[in-house]
Amino acid sequence: MSKLAIDREDTVLVAIDFQEKLLPGVYGRDKLEESMSRLIRGCRVLGVPVLVTQQYTKGLGPTTEKIAKALTEEIPGAVHEASFAAIEKTAFSAMREPSFVKALLETGRRTVVIAGAETHICVQQTALDLIEDGYMVFGAMDCMSSRTLENKELGQIRMTQSGVFVTSSEAVLFDMLADSKDVNFKQISAIVK
């Protein structure tokens, strides 16, 4: 396997701040939630852990209903149980929140697929800190956004310049699948359609 491929045995999905009071003002919200929901469902099928953060929940609310559903609905063959516990944070970078760092270390994984809002703030700062700590970071660019398209694009450019590998939710899933003979191929194909 390529050293640059996304190995599902070494990968964790990090979902940054998909929150009720934040997403209504985010550019392309519907497409963002749809792409992220598919990525979450695919990761659950493939046995990839998902860490979810919430920025100042008291002010920005809980994780949105669509994202929470993708994390909790019953999926035949899903490796991960149908539940999640969001990690509360106030720092923009999740890596500055000890409970997030602890949860990340407990996965034992060194490859991170990152997504969330806002691209140019919390997602970007988390990605840069992950790289600084030696993680390989892949940005699922269709699963991140900001209040403006310009800030989304600028955040993605800065992350790319800093070493984040640009990809999409579908590319992530098929990279981890690796072969059409994989027992999960049909289920992943159905999820991305």
Side-chain angles (χ1 to χ4, degrees), residues 139-191:
M141 298 303 179
D142 58 327
C143 295
M144 59 178 74
S145 196
S146 296
R147 284 166 290 156
T148 66
L149 177 60
E150 180 180 40
N151 278 330
K152 172 185 173 171
E153 291 172 344
L154 290 171
Q156 290 175 337
I157 290 167
R158 181 162 176 212
M159 283 188 281
T160 302
Q161 291 170 334
S162 302
V164 174
F165 294 97
V166 174
T167 192
S168 69
S169 57
E170 189 170 333
V172 166
L173 293 174
F174 281 95
D175 212 15
M176 290 190 295
L177 198 58
D179 194 315
S180 64
K181 292 179 183 175
D182 188 292
V183 296
N184 297 300
F185 174 73
K186 286 184 180 179
Q187 196 167 4
I188 295 298
S189 294
I191 287 170

Side-chain angles (χ1 to χ4, degrees), residues 19-29 118 145-149:
Q19 292 170 256
E20 286 182 355
K21 293 181 182 176
L22 178 62
L23 286 201
V26 167
Y27 175 81
R29 177 203 180 155
E118 288 191 71
S145 196
S146 296
R147 284 166 290 156
T148 66
L149 177 60

Side-chain angles (χ1 to χ4, degrees), residues 94-120:
M95 290 297 285
R96 296 187 192 131
E97 172 52 53
S99 59
F100 173 82
V101 173
K102 181 178 185 281
L104 180 62
L105 290 172
E106 285 174 355
T107 70
R109 295 166 184 239
R110 299 296 301 168
T111 301
V112 174
V113 173
I114 195 165
E118 288 191 71
T119 307
H120 67 298

